[in-house]
Amino acid sequence: MTLASPIMKWLAPSMIRSVVISVAALVIGLLILFLGALPERTALRVAGDEAHTLDVRLSQMRATVATAEHQKQACDKLMAERDALVTSGVIEPLLGSFSMRGKNLLDPIARQTGFHIDGVRELQPIPLQLPKPAPEQLHYRQPVEFTGQGSYTQITAFITQVEASQPLVALSGLLILSQPQTPETHKAVITFEWPAKGEKIKTDKLPKK
Amino acid sequence: MNTPLHLDLLNDEERFSSSPIRMRVMLPLTTSFVTLCLLLWWSLLCLRTHSQAQYKEALQQAITSLTPAHSAVLALRAQEQEYRSIVRQLGLYKNARNPYGKMLSNLAEHVTPTIQLTQLSVPPPQPPAADPANPLFGPTNTFEAVTLHLSGRTGGEHPSEAVNTLLATFRTPAFTNVFRTAVIPKGSFRQDVARDPESREILLFDITCDCVPRRFE
């Protein structure tokens, strides 16, 4: 007040009123600016960004939902393709044994061709190459070894008919041995392999795309 | 002595500046106007924030209502991807399938009476190379070599000619769809010394054929 007093004395009362009103208005204005408008503007910007994000998400969701019918058709088509492949030659164990399954599948062909199956043995499964992205349901190669006897013609007829009747079977090993005691009958060890259903693994354990 | 006498009868508040803009009026007017403008701006901002919040809420509701359908489509998409990958994996296997039955049947027709095959073998495949750190990822190689070995005996006047004819047959179009190369390994053409002296004219031979590899592609 010691400094203000001389100024106050010098200023006219109407001017003092004017200055007081101006200072008060200025203080109120600054309070509005810093405590009201600027924080509100920041909040509005944040809300605008959030709304934009939601808007984009909603647009994407709508676009995705719009493909539902097409997606279903594509899914059904691929399911049919997979089912056709699986039923055409993916084998499952019979009574817990792939050798039983193999014998069950090939016995009729062996009888038809005259090849005599003496024994069937299930070999170690072989892992199958993975496509990218890898499926959760894996398949592997399951070899089954057939030991038997027959003439060369019977053996080759057996192999040819198995290959013709089983779309996914592959000859993975063969040994035909002539036997001096029975020149017309040979010993044969034939290994056929089929794809078989493997384990189902979690997506996070699979290789990246 | 005429000394001019100056009389100032005006009060302080009655004094006027020569300027047309009076500070004591303009200053409070200007600051009040600015404050009012700021107030108006703040009000507008509040209004816009409120409408933005309502818009956000509407978007949230739309998203919530669309979520089940969206999740269903995503599940379908994941299912489709899974089916596609299974079909591809089985396709890799199917593409690597090379039939041998017909070739084996044809083989008998090309074996002359002077040749007797004693053994025919296709060794089982070697265990595929897999990433030891990630055995679940499957083999890293995409093809598997297949070799066919033939062993036999031959006699007659020109035993080597019969074998060479058989070897030449393996290089004809009837076999080249299965065999890439067919060779008699060095030293495999030999006399049958294990048998009685009368059979010494019989020659033993081996033929190794590199077959078209199985390509898991």
Side-chain angles (χ1 to χ4, degrees):
Chain A
M1 288 307 285
T2 48
L3 279 171
S5 298
I7 300 168
M8 298 292 265
K9 270 184 185 174
W10 180 73
L11 284 175
S14 59
M15 192 63 191
I16 292 170
R17 250 198 326 274
S18 163
V19 167
V20 168
I21 291 169
S22 301
V23 168
L26 198 69
V27 168
I28 292 169
L30 287 173
L31 284 174
I32 289 172
L33 181 69
F34 288 108
L35 298 180
L38 289 180
E40 196 67 40
R41 193 178 66 160
T42 311
L44 180 66
R45 195 176 294 160
V46 171
D49 290 346
E50 284 174 2
H52 177 69
T53 309
L54 288 175
D55 203 13
V56 169
R57 193 174 154 208
L58 183 64
S59 302
Q60 286 173 346
M61 284 174 83
R62 280 185 179 140
T64 307
V65 170
T67 63
E69 193 53 40
H70 175 258
Q71 198 70 56
K72 188 162 177 4
Q73 284 174 1
C75 195
D76 288 348
K77 191 180 162 195
L78 275 167
M79 187 173 72
E81 202 175 329
R82 183 210 60 163
D83 289 349
L85 264 174
V86 168
T87 49
S88 71
V90 175
I91 58 165
E92 285 182 6
L94 178 66
L95 302 172
S97 155
F98 280 111
S99 58
M100 287 289 285
R101 172 62 68 195
K103 190 167 164 52
N104 178 258
L105 284 170
L106 303 195
D107 253 349
I109 301 170
R111 273 198 298 274
Q112 197 184 332
T113 54
F115 177 67
H116 181 75
I117 295 176
D118 294 329
V120 186
R121 192 163 66 103
E122 178 182 323
L123 302 180
Q124 280 293 312
I126 304 167
L128 184 57
Q129 279 75 0
L130 284 181
K132 285 180 183 176
E136 284 180 35
Q137 176 62 64
L138 299 180
H139 287 83
Y140 58 88
R141 296 157 60 188
Q142 179 57 58
V144 180
E145 185 187 271
F146 297 83
T147 310
Q149 290 182 38
S151 68
Y152 185 81
T153 317
Q154 287 170 335
I155 294 167
T156 55
F158 175 66
I159 293 170
T160 308
Q161 286 204 27
V162 169
E163 284 179 340
S165 63
Q166 302 274 316
L168 292 183
V169 81
L171 181 79
S172 64
L174 176 66
L175 175 66
I176 302 175
L177 274 173
S178 69
Q179 299 178 106
Q181 302 87 353
T182 53
E184 288 300 315
T185 308
H186 310 302
K187 186 185 175 189
V189 181
I190 307 168
T191 308
F192 285 116
E193 64 175 38
W194 286 264
K197 207 172 180 179
E199 57 187 312
K200 202 166 184 174
I201 56 172
K202 288 182 179 173
T203 319
D204 56 345
K205 288 186 177 175
L206 291 170
K208 296 275 182 291
K209 289 181 189 179
Chain B
M1 294 227 346
N2 290 330
T3 308
L5 182 65
H6 180 77
L7 278 176
D8 186 0
L9 299 174
L10 284 174
N11 284 325
D12 281 348
E13 62 270 25
E14 290 166 346
R15 290 177 192 281
F16 288 100
S17 162
S18 58
S19 166
I21 299 165
R22 286 188 290 171
M23 280 299 284
R24 69 186 173 92
V25 176
M26 290 309 292
L27 199 65
L29 266 179
T30 311
T31 51
S32 300
F33 180 71
V34 168
T35 305
L36 271 175
C37 286
L38 286 171
L39 193 64
L40 189 70
W41 184 40
W42 184 28
S43 306
L44 284 173
L45 286 173
C46 286
L47 209 66
R48 282 182 60 193
T49 309
H50 179 67
S51 60
Q52 195 72 269
Q54 281 184 329
Y55 179 54
K56 255 176 67 181
E57 203 179 314
L59 286 174
Q60 283 281 19
Q61 280 178 356
I63 286 171
T64 309
S65 66
L66 211 60
T67 300
H70 184 250
S71 302
V73 177
L74 289 186
L76 267 177
R77 200 176 277 183
Q79 195 65 61
E80 185 204 345
Q81 187 56 62
E82 173 69 6
Y83 289 149
R84 192 183 301 279
S85 297
I86 290 174
V87 168
R88 274 195 196 145
Q89 197 190 20
L90 291 174
L92 294 178
Y93 174 86
K94 201 176 179 183
N95 293 343
R97 186 178 169 263
N98 297 333
Y100 293 98
K102 206 171 176 184
M103 179 275 293
L104 291 169
S105 301
N106 283 345
L107 182 63
E109 293 168 16
H110 292 89
V111 177
T112 57
T114 54
I115 289 178
Q116 184 197 3
L117 294 179
T118 53
Q119 186 178 321
L120 185 152
S121 69
V122 177
Q126 292 292 314
D131 183 358
N134 300 300
L136 274 178
F137 292 6
T140 49
N141 57 325
T142 56
F143 79 95
E144 197 171 87
V146 181
T147 313
L148 184 138
H149 298 287
L150 278 171
S151 301
R153 308 164 68 211
T154 181
E157 287 185 14
H158 307 287
S160 61
E161 266 180 36
V163 177
N164 282 331
T165 308
L166 182 64
L167 190 66
T169 309
F170 290 160
R171 292 164 183 164
T172 60
F175 288 93
T176 47
N177 60 335
V178 179
F179 296 151
R180 286 199 311 187
T181 60
V183 291
I184 297 172
K186 208 171 180 182
S188 65
F189 222 150
R190 61 205 183 275
Q191 251 190 341
D192 188 0
V193 290
R195 293 177 177 263
D196 54 82
E198 287 175 5
S199 303
R200 293 225 166 161
E201 285 182 10
I202 290 174
L203 292 176
L204 302 178
F205 66 92
D206 294 324
I207 295 177
T208 302
C209 305
D210 278 336
C211 302
V212 172
R214 295 185 69 185
R215 292 190 177 279
F216 296 88
E217 289 170 349

Coordinates of all heavy atoms in Angstrom, one line a residue, chain B residues 14-55:
Chain B
E14 N -13.1 15.5 -13.6 CA -13.7 16.3 -14.6 C -12.8 16.5 -15.8 O -13.1 17.1 -16.8 CB -14.3 17.6 -14.1 CG -15.5 17.4 -13.2 CD -15.8 18.7 -12.5 OE1 -15.0 19.6 -12.4 OE2 -16.9 18.7 -11.9
R15 N -11.5 16.1 -15.6 CA -10.5 16.3 -16.6 C -10.7 15.3 -17.8 O -11.0 14.1 -17.5 CB -9.1 16.1 -16.1 CG -8.7 17.1 -15.1 CD -7.3 16.8 -14.5 NE -7.0 17.7 -13.4 CZ -6.6 18.9 -13.5 NH1 -6.4 19.5 -14.7 NH2 -6.3 19.6 -12.4
F16 N -10.6 15.7 -19.0 CA -10.7 14.8 -20.1 C -9.4 14.8 -20.9 O -8.8 15.9 -21.0 CB -11.9 15.2 -21.0 CG -13.2 14.9 -20.5 CD1 -13.9 15.9 -19.8 CD2 -13.7 13.6 -20.5 CE1 -15.2 15.6 -19.3 CE2 -15.0 13.4 -20.0 CZ -15.7 14.4 -19.3
S17 N -9.1 13.7 -21.4 CA -7.9 13.7 -22.3 C -8.3 14.2 -23.7 O -9.4 14.1 -24.1 CB -7.4 12.2 -22.4 OG -6.6 12.1 -23.4
S18 N -7.3 14.6 -24.4 CA -7.5 15.1 -25.7 C -7.8 13.9 -26.7 O -8.3 14.0 -27.8 CB -6.3 15.9 -26.2 OG -5.2 15.1 -26.2
S19 N -7.3 12.6 -26.2 CA -7.5 11.4 -27.0 C -9.0 11.1 -27.1 O -9.7 11.2 -26.1 CB -6.7 10.3 -26.4 OG -7.1 9.1 -27.0
P20 N -9.5 10.7 -28.3 CA -10.9 10.3 -28.4 C -11.2 9.0 -27.6 O -12.3 8.7 -27.3 CB -11.2 10.1 -29.9 CG -9.8 9.8 -30.4 CD -8.8 10.5 -29.6
I21 N -10.1 8.1 -27.4 CA -10.4 6.9 -26.6 C -10.0 7.1 -25.2 O -8.9 7.5 -24.8 CB -9.4 5.8 -27.2 CG1 -9.8 5.5 -28.7 CG2 -9.6 4.5 -26.4 CD1 -8.7 4.7 -29.4
R22 N -11.1 6.9 -24.4 CA -10.8 7.2 -23.0 C -10.4 5.9 -22.3 O -11.2 4.9 -22.3 CB -12.1 7.7 -22.3 CG -12.3 9.2 -22.7 CD -13.4 9.8 -22.0 NE -14.7 9.3 -22.4 CZ -15.8 9.5 -21.7 NH1 -15.8 10.3 -20.7 NH2 -16.9 9.0 -22.2
M23 N -9.2 5.9 -21.7 CA -8.7 4.7 -21.1 C -9.5 4.1 -20.0 O -9.7 2.9 -19.8 CB -7.3 5.0 -20.5 CG -6.2 5.0 -21.5 SD -6.0 3.4 -22.4 CE -5.1 2.5 -21.1
R24 N -10.1 5.0 -19.2 CA -10.9 4.5 -18.0 C -12.2 3.8 -18.4 O -12.8 3.1 -17.7 CB -11.1 5.6 -17.0 CG -12.1 6.7 -17.5 CD -12.1 7.8 -16.5 NE -12.9 8.9 -16.9 CZ -14.2 9.0 -16.7 NH1 -14.9 8.1 -16.0 NH2 -14.9 10.1 -17.2
V25 N -12.5 4.0 -19.7 CA -13.7 3.3 -20.2 C -13.3 2.1 -21.0 O -13.8 1.0 -20.9 CB -14.5 4.3 -21.1 CG1 -15.7 3.5 -21.7 CG2 -15.0 5.4 -20.3
M26 N -12.3 2.3 -21.9 CA -11.9 1.2 -22.8 C -11.2 0.0 -22.1 O -11.4 -1.1 -22.5 CB -10.9 1.8 -23.9 CG -11.6 2.7 -24.8 SD -13.1 2.0 -25.6 CE -12.4 0.7 -26.5
L27 N -10.4 0.4 -21.0 CA -9.7 -0.7 -20.4 C -10.6 -1.8 -19.7 O -10.5 -3.0 -20.0 CB -8.7 -0.1 -19.3 CG -7.6 -1.0 -18.8 CD1 -6.6 -1.3 -20.0 CD2 -6.9 -0.4 -17.7
P28 N -11.6 -1.4 -18.9 CA -12.5 -2.4 -18.4 C -13.4 -3.0 -19.5 O -13.7 -4.2 -19.4 CB -13.4 -1.6 -17.4 CG -13.1 -0.2 -17.6 CD -11.9 0.0 -18.3
L29 N -13.7 -2.2 -20.5 CA -14.5 -2.8 -21.6 C -13.8 -3.9 -22.3 O -14.3 -5.0 -22.5 CB -14.9 -1.7 -22.6 CG -16.2 -1.0 -22.3 CD1 -16.5 0.1 -23.4 CD2 -17.4 -2.0 -22.4
T30 N -12.5 -3.6 -22.6 CA -11.7 -4.6 -23.4 C -11.5 -5.8 -22.6 O -11.7 -6.9 -23.1 CB -10.3 -3.9 -23.8 OG1 -10.6 -2.7 -24.3 CG2 -9.6 -4.8 -24.7
T31 N -11.1 -5.7 -21.3 CA -10.8 -6.9 -20.5 C -12.0 -7.7 -20.3 O -12.0 -8.9 -20.3 CB -10.1 -6.5 -19.1 OG1 -11.0 -5.5 -18.5 CG2 -8.7 -6.0 -19.3
S32 N -13.2 -7.0 -20.1 CA -14.4 -7.7 -19.9 C -14.8 -8.4 -21.2 O -15.3 -9.6 -21.1 CB -15.5 -6.7 -19.5 OG -15.2 -6.1 -18.3
F33 N -14.6 -7.8 -22.3 CA -14.9 -8.4 -23.6 C -14.1 -9.7 -23.8 O -14.6 -10.7 -24.2 CB -14.7 -7.4 -24.7 CG -15.0 -7.9 -26.0 CD1 -16.3 -8.2 -26.4 CD2 -14.0 -8.2 -27.0 CE1 -16.6 -8.7 -27.7 CE2 -14.3 -8.8 -28.2 CZ -15.6 -9.0 -28.6
V34 N -12.8 -9.5 -23.5 CA -11.9 -10.7 -23.7 C -12.3 -11.8 -22.7 O -12.4 -13.0 -23.1 CB -10.4 -10.3 -23.4 CG1 -9.5 -11.5 -23.2 CG2 -9.9 -9.3 -24.5
T35 N -12.6 -11.4 -21.5 CA -13.1 -12.5 -20.5 C -14.4 -13.1 -21.0 O -14.5 -14.4 -20.9 CB -13.3 -11.8 -19.2 OG1 -12.1 -11.1 -18.8 CG2 -13.7 -12.8 -18.1
L36 N -15.2 -12.3 -21.6 CA -16.5 -12.9 -22.1 C -16.2 -13.9 -23.2 O -16.8 -14.9 -23.4 CB -17.4 -11.8 -22.6 CG -18.4 -11.2 -21.5 CD1 -19.1 -10.1 -22.1 CD2 -19.3 -12.3 -21.0
C37 N -15.3 -13.4 -24.1 CA -14.9 -14.3 -25.2 C -14.4 -15.6 -24.7 O -14.7 -16.7 -25.2 CB -13.9 -13.6 -26.1 SG -14.6 -12.3 -27.1
L38 N -13.5 -15.5 -23.7 CA -12.9 -16.7 -23.1 C -14.0 -17.6 -22.6 O -14.0 -18.9 -22.7 CB -11.9 -16.4 -22.1 CG -10.5 -15.9 -22.6 CD1 -9.7 -15.4 -21.4 CD2 -9.8 -17.0 -23.3
L39 N -14.9 -17.0 -21.9 CA -16.1 -17.8 -21.3 C -16.9 -18.5 -22.4 O -17.3 -19.6 -22.2 CB -16.9 -16.8 -20.5 CG -17.9 -17.4 -19.6 CD1 -17.2 -18.2 -18.5 CD2 -18.9 -16.3 -19.0
L40 N -17.1 -17.7 -23.5 CA -17.8 -18.3 -24.6 C -17.1 -19.5 -25.2 O -17.7 -20.5 -25.5 CB -18.0 -17.2 -25.6 CG -19.0 -17.5 -26.7 CD1 -20.4 -17.6 -26.2 CD2 -18.9 -16.5 -27.9
W41 N -15.8 -19.3 -25.4 CA -14.9 -20.4 -25.9 C -15.0 -21.6 -25.1 O -15.2 -22.7 -25.5 CB -13.5 -19.9 -26.1 CG -12.6 -20.8 -26.7 CD1 -12.8 -21.6 -27.8 CD2 -11.2 -21.1 -26.4 NE1 -11.7 -22.4 -28.1 CE2 -10.7 -22.1 -27.3 CE3 -10.4 -20.6 -25.4 CZ2 -9.4 -22.6 -27.2 CZ3 -9.1 -21.1 -25.3 CH2 -8.6 -22.1 -26.2
W42 N -14.9 -21.4 -23.7 CA -14.9 -22.5 -22.8 C -16.3 -23.2 -22.9 O -16.3 -24.4 -22.9 CB -14.7 -21.9 -21.4 CG -14.6 -23.0 -20.3 CD1 -14.2 -24.3 -20.5 CD2 -15.0 -22.8 -18.9 NE1 -14.3 -25.0 -19.3 CE2 -14.7 -24.1 -18.3 CE3 -15.4 -21.8 -18.1 CZ2 -15.0 -24.3 -16.9 CZ3 -15.6 -22.0 -16.8 CH2 -15.4 -23.2 -16.2
S43 N -17.3 -22.4 -23.0 CA -18.7 -23.0 -23.1 C -18.8 -23.8 -24.3 O -19.4 -24.9 -24.3 CB -19.8 -21.9 -23.1 OG -19.6 -21.0 -22.1
L44 N -18.3 -23.3 -25.4 CA -18.3 -24.0 -26.7 C -17.5 -25.4 -26.6 O -18.0 -26.4 -27.0 CB -17.8 -23.2 -27.8 CG -18.7 -22.1 -28.4 CD1 -18.0 -21.2 -29.4 CD2 -19.9 -22.7 -29.0
L45 N -16.4 -25.2 -25.9 CA -15.6 -26.4 -25.7 C -16.3 -27.5 -24.9 O -16.3 -28.7 -25.2 CB -14.2 -26.1 -25.1 CG -13.2 -25.4 -25.9 CD1 -12.0 -24.9 -25.1 CD2 -12.7 -26.3 -27.1
C46 N -17.0 -27.0 -23.8 CA -17.7 -27.9 -23.0 C -18.8 -28.6 -23.8 O -19.1 -29.8 -23.7 CB -18.3 -27.1 -21.8 SG -17.1 -26.7 -20.6
L47 N -19.5 -27.8 -24.6 CA -20.6 -28.3 -25.4 C -20.0 -29.4 -26.4 O -20.7 -30.5 -26.5 CB -21.2 -27.2 -26.2 CG -22.6 -27.3 -26.6 CD1 -23.5 -27.2 -25.3 CD2 -23.1 -26.2 -27.5
R48 N -18.9 -29.1 -27.0 CA -18.4 -30.1 -28.0 C -17.9 -31.3 -27.3 O -18.0 -32.4 -27.8 CB -17.2 -29.4 -28.7 CG -17.7 -28.5 -29.8 CD -16.5 -27.9 -30.6 NE -15.7 -28.9 -31.3 CZ -14.5 -28.7 -31.8 NH1 -14.0 -27.5 -31.7 NH2 -13.9 -29.7 -32.4
T49 N -17.3 -31.1 -26.1 CA -16.9 -32.3 -25.3 C -18.0 -33.2 -24.9 O -18.0 -34.4 -25.0 CB -16.1 -31.9 -24.0 OG1 -15.1 -30.9 -24.3 CG2 -15.5 -33.0 -23.3
H50 N -19.1 -32.5 -24.6 CA -20.3 -33.3 -24.2 C -20.9 -34.1 -25.4 O -21.2 -35.3 -25.3 CB -21.4 -32.3 -23.7 CG -22.7 -33.0 -23.3 ND1 -22.8 -33.8 -22.3 CD2 -23.9 -32.9 -23.9 CE1 -24.0 -34.3 -22.2 NE2 -24.7 -33.7 -23.2
S51 N -20.9 -33.4 -26.6 CA -21.4 -34.1 -27.8 C -20.5 -35.2 -28.2 O -20.9 -36.3 -28.7 CB -21.7 -33.1 -28.9 OG -20.5 -32.5 -29.2
Q52 N -19.2 -34.9 -28.0 CA -18.2 -36.0 -28.3 C -18.3 -37.2 -27.5 O -18.3 -38.3 -27.9 CB -16.8 -35.4 -28.2 CG -15.6 -36.1 -28.8 CD -15.6 -36.0 -30.3 OE1 -16.2 -36.9 -31.0 NE2 -15.0 -35.0 -30.8
A53 N -18.6 -36.9 -26.2 CA -18.8 -38.0 -25.2 C -20.1 -38.8 -25.6 O -20.1 -40.1 -25.6 CB -19.0 -37.5 -23.8
Q54 N -21.1 -38.1 -26.1 CA -22.3 -38.8 -26.5 C -22.0 -39.7 -27.8 O -22.5 -40.8 -27.9 CB -23.4 -37.8 -26.8 CG -24.1 -37.3 -25.6 CD -25.2 -36.4 -25.9 OE1 -25.2 -35.7 -26.9 NE2 -26.2 -36.3 -25.0
Y55 N -21.2 -39.1 -28.7 CA -20.9 -39.8 -29.9 C -20.1 -41.1 -29.6 O -20.3 -42.1 -30.1 CB -20.1 -38.9 -30.8 CG -19.6 -39.5 -32.1 CD1 -20.5 -40.1 -33.0 CD2 -18.3 -39.4 -32.5 CE1 -20.1 -40.6 -34.2 CE2 -17.8 -40.0 -33.7 CZ -18.7 -40.6 -34.5 OH -18.3 -41.1 -35.7

